[in-house]
Amino acid sequence: MPDLAETPPDHRPAIVICAWDADETGWDPVEDLSGLPWSPAGARTVAVPGGEPDALAGTLAAHLADQRCRALLLVGRTRRSTAFRLQIRAENRSLDGVRRLTSVGPAVARATAPAADIVRALNEAGLPVETSSEAEDDAGSYLLYRVLSGLPEGLDTPAVGLLRAPENQPDAEVQRAVKAAAEAMARHLSPLPRSRAS
């Protein structure tokens, strides 16, 4: 007899959300006592906690290798702006910024997330936002490059983006911005084929 309490499979595509700094408190995916993470319409979120950048890059790559995972939003802070910043490219640099990360990788990797839609969503939420092609010398830029340069080429490329909150932005505003960005990304995700979802 089948177990009726068994959870049915979730056929929504996944968006991984990762605040790369382990001390970052701005993004908490669980917003109530249910213990269930927040998810935008049409997608489900997978929260990946921050940590050591090399190990974290491997964890994020493993999530994106699962074809049920269709997007990644990296979340962090910036000291360079009083507005939210959507970083749209990352440079081939080592974590310390001294040398190239890899001699065979491209000099620049461009984010694949729908930047215009994310900017529009944050503006509609009343949050100031700007796009930037300028990488910052931190784990966020390093992770963005590592993830993007490791993606296989093809039509089914996942949406990958990096959203930075101003350094002193309250956690509640960071939550609003992350949700707005994830909702914009989710609108571009098609449902999983049944063969992939099972």
Side-chain angles (χ1 to χ4, degrees), residues 10 16 19 34 44 46-47 70 75-76 90 93 97 100 104 109 128 130 133-134 141 158 161 179 181 191 194 196:
D10 192 334
V16 169
S34 72
R44 62 185 173 89
V46 176
R70 302 301 309 131
V75 179
R93 283 194 206 158
R100 286 174 61 98
V104 296
E130 59 192 32
S133 294
E134 187 179 338
S141 294
K179 288 180 179 181
R194 290 294 177 182
R196 188 185 291 177

Side-chain angles (χ1 to χ4, degrees), residues 6-12 44 68 194 197-198:
E6 189 175 307
T7 306
D10 192 334
H11 297 294
R12 297 173 296 168
R44 62 185 173 89
R68 295 170 297 182
R194 290 294 177 182
S198 54

Side-chain angles (χ1 to χ4, degrees), residues 15-193:
I15 299 176
V16 169
I17 301 178
C18 175
W20 67 80
D21 184 344
D23 296 326
E24 175 59 54
T25 61
W27 169 244
D28 180 2
V30 179
E31 57 185 359
D32 58 35
L33 297 177
S34 72
L36 298 174
W38 169 86
S39 292
R44 62 185 173 89
T45 55
V46 176
V48 173
E52 191 277 321
D54 282 321
L56 192 51
T59 299
L60 296 173
H63 277 286
L64 290 172
D66 180 341
Q67 300 222 343
R68 295 170 297 182
C69 179
R70 302 301 309 131
L72 165 64
L73 180 62
L74 294 166
V75 179
R77 298 282 181 165
T78 181
R79 293 183 184 92
R80 297 184 182 178
S81 177
T82 57
F84 285 89
R85 294 182 95 207
L86 184 65
Q87 186 171 319
I88 57 176
R89 69 177 202 146
E91 297 172 6
N92 183 350
R93 283 194 206 158
S94 59
L95 186 56
D96 60 12
V98 174
R99 65 189 186 289
R100 286 174 61 98
L101 177 63
T102 172
S103 60
V104 296
V108 173
R110 300 205 177 277
T112 55
D117 291 333
I118 292 173
V119 167
R120 188 176 311 111
L122 267 70
N123 283 330
E124 288 172 358
L127 300 167
V129 60
E130 59 192 32
T131 58
S132 176
S133 294
E134 187 179 338
E136 297 191 22
D137 294 327
D138 64 11
S141 294
Y142 172 81
L143 288 167
L144 184 62
Y145 182 85
R146 282 275 307 266
V147 168
L148 290 170
S149 64
L151 291 176
E153 292 188 20
L155 296 176
D156 218 11
T157 301
V160 177
L162 189 161
L163 180 66
R164 297 177 181 276
E167 187 175 27
N168 297 315
Q169 194 76 21
D171 289 357
E173 296 298 280
V174 177
Q175 296 268 2
R176 288 180 58 221
V178 170
K179 288 180 179 181
E183 287 168 348
M185 293 171 82
R187 286 193 285 273
H188 287 264
L189 304 180
S190 55
L192 296 177

